[in-house]
Amino acid sequence: MASIKDLKKDINNVLGDIIEGVYVVEAANGKNNTKEGAAIIDEAIETFDELIEKVNKSKVENKKAHFKEVRNELETKATKLVDELNKLA
């Protein structure tokens, strides 16, 4: 099983890349600080906070299952955010 540290890095990197993607798409289109872009960034930050809170939760019965659930949630929410990001382009 991957370490908790690696899971936290994955959460940070995936959501950070999505936020960076918003800035790149907006800059490429000549539109900065759009409402749609800001909404994606806000949702990515909220997702980051929620997932890190779940990772840091200390009292769970089955840690392996708990961390697998967090990783699956990251994949699901990241996919949704990427779909929204693709609509900006």
Side-chain angles (χ1 to χ4, degrees):
M1 183 174 108
S3 71
I4 295 171
K5 184 177 178 182
D6 289 339
L7 180 56
K8 286 181 179 182
K9 282 182 182 179
D10 289 345
I11 292 169
N12 188 45
N13 290 337
V14 168
L15 295 173
D17 288 346
I18 291 170
I19 292 170
E20 184 178 346
V22 171
Y23 291 127
V24 169
V25 168
E26 286 183 343
N29 292 335
K31 302 176 186 174
N32 291 328
N33 302 323
T34 63
K35 288 181 183 179
E36 296 86 3
I40 294 170
I41 291 171
D42 289 344
E43 190 171 344
I45 292 170
E46 288 174 20
T47 300
F48 175 84
D49 291 342
E50 290 171 10
L51 293 177
I52 292 296
E53 184 179 322
K54 287 181 181 182
V55 169
N56 290 333
K57 191 174 181 180
S58 61
K59 296 186 180 189
V60 293
E61 287 186 26
N62 185 345
K63 288 189 180 231
K64 185 175 182 178
H66 175 71
F67 293 134
K68 186 174 182 178
E69 180 182 321
V70 171
R71 186 169 293 282
N72 288 338
E73 188 174 342
L74 170 63
E75 289 178 26
T76 302
K77 290 187 176 189
T79 301
K80 179 180 173 264
L81 289 169
V82 169
D83 289 342
E84 291 177 21
L85 175 61
N86 289 335
K87 290 177 187 176
L88 282 179

